[in-house]
Amino acid sequence: MADLMASSIPVALTIAGSDSGGGAGIQADLRTFAFHCVHGTSALTCITAQNTLGVNRVDALLPEAVKAQIEAIVKDIGVHATKTGMLLNQEIILGVAEAVETLSLKQLVVDPVMVSRAGVQLIDDSAVAALRDFLLPKASIVTPNIYEAQIFAGLDINDINDMRLAAEKIHKLGVKTVLVKGGALKDNLRGADVWFDGERFEILRTATVDTTNTHGTGCTLSAAIVANLAQGKDLFSAVKLAKDYVTNALKYALQIGQGQGPIGHFFPLLLNTHSSL
């Protein structure tokens, strides 16, 4: 692995899919890294044809191509922190898990990206099993939404107590730290997340933002955690700062396209122009 001590610039790596609409995936991750003054590198796993109305097509890259991208980055530039997003299938997941192990990638944030915020499963059962058995145990933190947490924990989630129980069960899968995201819950529970690191539970809340333009929130949260880790923040602080960042980006979400727009990753630049977006 490259000597990171030779550079004072924090470097983050995202291993995820491309969103042609620019709201989530690799595009959201790189914007989030840039906002935090972190150099962003990427390894694409798949290419999507999508817009604000939905996904029209997905094409997976070969696992060997995904691993080659990761190796090229790590062996030359080096990486302070890494995240995974959409990995799409069992073969890619196994390849990424192998790369994480052989290249000794530390500070790994796993955003499962296996069930949408609307509850639609995005990857098949064999991929879910590979993610659970081979990648989650290598993660510093995993950030499932409630639907993903339900699958990993094997229980229904309707409130904070259910989230706590799910976090505990997921931790027993070998995950160091779990952040169960409550963005899909209703009323005053919306946006409340549960943290569990094997010793303590924390309920993390931020102000609720009333907007339908929420595309990319999960990708952005995990990318912001990685960016803060790359800067040297401890994990709990990185999570809290990431939640604050996403909340602010939601306040300046973009009303573009005919469907669900993305959040405003560069919200300070939108302060004077937001009313016209």
Side-chain angles (χ1 to χ4, degrees):
M1 184 169 177
D3 183 8
L4 289 169
M5 298 303 292
S7 173
S8 60
I9 301 172
V11 178
L13 166 63
T14 171
I15 307 169
S18 169
D19 173 359
S20 59
I26 290 283
Q27 287 82 353
D29 294 343
L30 293 178
R31 284 204 294 271
T32 301
F33 294 162
F35 176 93
H36 289 83
C37 298
V38 170
H39 178 69
T41 62
S42 61
L44 267 67
T45 59
C46 59
I47 299 170
T48 70
Q50 66 174 291
N51 51 32
T52 64
L53 296 174
V55 179
N56 300 323
R57 178 183 174 120
V58 181
D59 291 286
L61 273 71
L62 293 173
E64 293 78 13
V66 177
K67 289 194 293 182
Q69 293 174 80
I70 299 169
E71 290 171 357
I73 294 160
V74 173
K75 291 182 178 180
D76 174 41
I77 302 170
V79 175
H80 292 94
T82 302
K83 69 155 283 188
T84 63
M86 169 58 81
L87 301 181
L88 196 62
N89 60 42
Q90 181 186 47
E91 292 75 21
I92 291 175
I93 292 168
L94 293 175
V96 170
E98 180 184 351
V100 169
E101 181 73 25
T102 58
L103 297 170
S104 300
L105 291 177
K106 307 300 182 185
Q107 300 201 106
L108 175 66
V109 178
V110 173
D111 180 5
V113 194
M114 63 186 202
V115 183
S116 74
R117 201 170 181 177
V120 178
Q121 187 164 327
L122 305 173
I123 61 177
D124 64 26
D125 291 343
S126 64
V128 171
L131 193 64
R132 179 194 64 220
D133 296 339
F134 295 98
L135 195 58
L136 260 59
K138 297 179 179 7
S140 300
I141 184 170
V142 60
T143 62
N145 60 32
I146 59 171
Y147 301 113
E148 293 160 344
Q150 285 179 157
I151 292 175
F152 285 141
L155 55 83
D156 292 332
I157 298 176
N158 298 297
D159 54 32
I160 293 292
N161 286 333
D162 291 340
M163 292 170 73
R164 286 168 59 99
L165 181 57
E168 195 168 23
K169 286 181 174 291
I170 295 169
H171 182 267
K172 290 179 180 178
L173 296 175
V175 181
K176 296 179 181 67
T177 303
V178 183
L179 184 74
V180 178
K181 301 178 296 188
L185 293 176
K186 299 185 183 301
D187 302 323
N188 64 329
L189 294 179
R190 187 159 64 109
D193 300 340
V194 171
W195 156 289
F196 182 58
D197 62 3
E199 296 182 358
R200 62 171 175 150
F201 285 100
E202 295 282 352
I203 299 174
L204 305 177
R205 297 178 182 269
T206 54
T208 300
V209 181
D210 186 17
T211 179
T212 58
N213 298 311
T214 59
H215 186 51
T217 51
C219 302
T220 301
L221 178 70
S222 56
I225 293 171
V226 167
N228 281 290
L229 289 174
Q231 290 178 329
K233 306 287 195 310
D234 66 87
L235 184 55
F236 189 65
S237 296
V239 169
K240 291 195 296 182
L241 289 167
K243 280 184 64 65
D244 289 340
Y245 170 69
V246 170
T247 299
N248 281 316
L250 281 165
K251 292 177 183 177
Y252 296 94
L254 307 183
Q255 183 65 54
I256 58 174
Q258 302 172 62
Q260 185 186 59
I263 63 177
H265 294 93
F266 287 103
F267 57 83
L269 301 180
L270 302 174
L271 293 177
N272 296 323
T273 60
H274 184 257
S275 60
S276 65
L277 294 174

